[in-house]
Amino acid sequence: MPIQGYHSLRNLVKLSKLEIPQDILDVIEPIKENDAAIRQYGIDQAVKMMQELFNSGEVFGLHVYTLNREVATMQILKRLGLWMSEPRRPLPWKMTANHMRKEDVRPIFWGSRPKSYVYRTQEWDDFPNGRWGDSSSPAFGELNDYHLFYLKSKASKEQQLKMWGEELSCPEDVFEIFTCYLSGEPNRYGTKVTQMPWNDTEVTGETALLLDKLMSINKRGVLTINSQPNVNGQPSTDPVFGWGPPGGYVYQKAYLEFFTSRENVAALLEVLQEYPQINYHVVNHTGKDDITNADRLKPNAVTWGVFPGSEIWQPTVVDPISFMYWKDEAFGLWTNHWGDLYNEDSKSRQIINYFHDTYYLVNLVDNDFPKENILFELIEKMLERRAVKETTEEEPSFDQVEAEHFQKKIKLDSDENSKDPFPNGVK
Amino acid sequence: MPIQGYHSLRNLVKLSKLEIPQDILDVIEPIKENDAAIRQYGIDQAVKMMQELFNSGEVFGLHVYTLNREVATMQILKRLGLWMSEPRRPLPWKMTANHMRKEDVRPIFWGSRPKSYVYRTQEWDDFPNGRWGDSSSPAFGELNDYHLFYLKSKASKEQQLKMWGEELSCPEDVFEIFTCYLSGEPNRYGTKVTQMPWNDTEVTGETALLLDKLMSINKRGVLTINSQPNVNGQPSTDPVFGWGPPGGYVYQKAYLEFFTSRENVAALLEVLQEYPQINYHVVNHTGKDDITNADRLKPNAVTWGVFPGSEIWQPTVVDPISFMYWKDEAFGLWTNHWGDLYNEDSKSRQIINYFHDTYYLVNLVDNDFPKENILFELIEKMLERRAVKETTEEEPSFDQVEAEHFQKKIKLDSDENSKDPFPNGVK
């Protein structure tokens, strides 16, 4: 361990009952108030010692203790030429520290909630390896309140209210929160929205590339919670998209996942007829509406890599069965993370319930990854089509929906209503 | 089953104890000597019947018996609009008719000897599915004389002698046979070399693209038995490289497999130092020399495809363990298919034994598939390097080698000799 500071050195000496050599003390004592100087001296000393040891020809490895202070160690390794200039992501998602989990494939859905995925798969004996495979029933742990609570955001209720709105008066207020999360601009309460119930952290590098397009559709009620651009063979060392060992090539299919209204979904299902290269999956919170053109037992690899001397790595899939498990969690987050912030009979709470009860969760994969990402064009067409339908079909306002919906909630959930919500849609 | 001919119709009537309707007999009897006319009539009748059945709205499928005569059935399906204009290859290699074999990955080595692969894996309960995986010991059936004999070429001994040389007087005679197989030009006996011990059939489409380069190196003693060009995302409907369902993209890493002399291999191992993107595997017939830079438990996918709504398909791999099984078969074919044609103490037999005993089997994979195939450049450098070595190290002629080799065969096979044949090579 390099000398990191005057006081830590004193403590270590006391604990180890060793004496500090006089020539070191001679240097350190006069600068004992200057932490930076002592740390620099510690680095210099360590580099010198390690070089001597390596040059002796007797020593083939050294163990450096960091005790959670990695800066000096990084400096030392850089000076010794042992530091990889760009520490690589081994896989596109963050791996867990638990080495018992020998996994290298995950569904994309938990991309922003890796802790939840780890929690819900903690009972698995075997993890998918090499590929997700044809699993007719991945046994995800039951979703329960404990789980939703346990994995709740670390922000306080006050912080959350400031981010997600102390009072919501219409659905557009919610659109605005989603948009602020993406833009990084403060919301109307002057607070930055640094997390969302579906995203533990701020917007990351990859999403940033789609930011303008995402903001534009969120404003209009396409509430995105996950996305990735297409990638056609970027080097595995690419700073944004790269992962895995050097010398490989990485690929992605464009992906978009969002909540949107029943009317938008009806328009979407019509527009999708013109886009055979797109896989879609649409569900409501009960799962009674469950519409997809994908094979229900076949995962779709949406991130993969080709590396020297390996089979193809395919670490991220869109899996129709996992999506149904994720759906419960994604809808649950509306009410358990967001709605719970408000009084039970407040309008704000009603609005969040309205999203939970009437919105659909949609995922879209553009399979034609070498061509331009067509998903946003598709969304624009959906919004156009919906606008046309509105002028002819007269859409009810939120207040009307509210009146009908909350007063007749039981009826809305009945079988009759859910039987065929999209007579023009693809089943 | 459509009426295929007069005699087959009579036989069927006899067997089935049915009567032919008079209006059919009236047409057929006058043209009973005209097979083509009867077959055309059978097609017309079948199309008419099938159209009526389909138009009835009661019939949703029909089973057509071909009894191994598929021409009429193809015509019928084409007339009914049920024939796919371009029957697609479901996988890049020919699948077996045995539907118990649920497999979709194979090592590339048996590419030109699929029957042998099926034979050697017939005891397998499970076949690799989705990927080859980390199999530390694929249990290939034992190679034995029965097997080599059973799968022998269907050409007669006379035909084989005409193709592969009635008399061989020097190694270059063998180089010439390999080259003639590729060029399609008759050999010096005026016979076309339509097969080789390692290739059941004539040169196919893909190899044709590399033909000039392959011929050029075979002439100079790099005796290729398998190869594929690199492919960087061709549509799955591509007539040469395409396979799998439409809407996908197929890929290949360039591959080259050949026998070559110990001197060439020594030069190759030196040149390979400059090509880190290449995986190589070099073995001699005993397997005592076994040199590779690949992970011995990791297969390398050399053909893969990306399709809508699927995980990545990776149907062809270069697998270091399988290569050791293939090595026995590939060396065995020298002596059992070729050497056996000649008298035991003939010079021709000695020459074939010389290849078996002293040549190395080499496979090369260029992992950098988006860039130009670099394998032929590598081979040219190997031949240059070898030429330089020759002028300095004075290579022995075949007759010298023959004298030393066959008189001291036991010594050559001894451990001492095989211990470190490539002091400059990579182990």
Side-chain angles (χ1 to χ4, degrees), chain A residues 103-118:
Chain A
E103 62 178 337
D104 54 26
V105 192
R106 286 186 183 181
I108 196 170
F109 316 121
W110 284 269
S112 298
R113 286 177 61 78
K115 279 185 201 158
S116 166
Y117 180 78
V118 169

Side-chain angles (χ1 to χ4, degrees), chain B residues 233-274:
Chain B
Q234 287 292 317
S236 60
T237 48
D238 183 273
V240 177
F241 299 110
W243 52 271
Y249 295 91
V250 298
Y251 295 80
Q252 292 181 181
K253 291 179 181 176
Y255 180 74
L256 196 57
E257 183 182 333
F258 54 86
F259 292 102
T260 204
S261 68
R262 182 192 194 85
E263 293 75 24
N264 279 343
V265 166
L268 180 68
L269 291 171
E270 287 179 30
V271 173
L272 275 166
Q273 308 292 325
E274 299 155 34

Side-chain angles (χ1 to χ4, degrees), chain B residues 360-375:
Chain B
Y360 284 75
L361 182 62
V362 179
N363 80 47
L364 300 172
V365 178
D366 181 354
N367 284 295
D368 210 354
F369 63 95
K371 307 222 177 96
E372 212 186 327
N373 177 358
I374 214 156
L375 296 180

Side-chain angles (χ1 to χ4, degrees), chain A residues 105 129-134 232 249 251 253 279 298-301 304 306-314 317 367-371, chain B residues 105 129-134 232 249 251 253 279 298-301 304 306-314 317 367-371:
Chain A
V105 192
N129 213 260
R131 60 200 288 263
W132 186 261
D134 295 358
N232 185 18
Y249 295 92
Y251 295 81
K253 291 180 181 176
N279 276 125
K298 262 167 88 177
N300 190 349
W304 64 101
V306 185
F307 297 96
S310 297
E311 290 194 87
I312 313 302
W313 298 14
Q314 28 192 332
V317 296
N367 285 294
D368 211 353
F369 63 95
K371 307 222 176 96
Chain B
V105 192
N129 212 259
R131 61 202 287 264
W132 186 261
D134 295 358
N232 185 19
Y249 295 91
Y251 295 80
K253 291 179 181 176
N279 275 125
K298 261 168 88 176
N300 190 349
W304 66 101
V306 185
F307 298 96
S310 298
E311 290 194 86
I312 313 302
W313 299 12
Q314 29 191 333
V317 296
N367 284 295
D368 210 354
F369 63 95
K371 307 222 177 96

Side-chain angles (χ1 to χ4, degrees), chain A residues 6 39 67 103 117 144 150 154 190-191 226 239 258 274-275 277 280 299 302 309 315 317 331 354 363 366 412 416:
Chain A
Y6 185 73
R39 195 162 52 236
L67 295 191
E103 62 178 337
Y117 180 78
N144 52 43
Y150 172 74
K154 272 165 192 155
T191 305
N226 200 350
F258 54 87
E274 299 156 33
Y275 293 87
Q277 82 270 36
Y280 57 87
V302 293
V317 296
F331 279 104
Y354 163 77
N363 80 47
D366 181 354
L412 260 173
E416 202 198 331

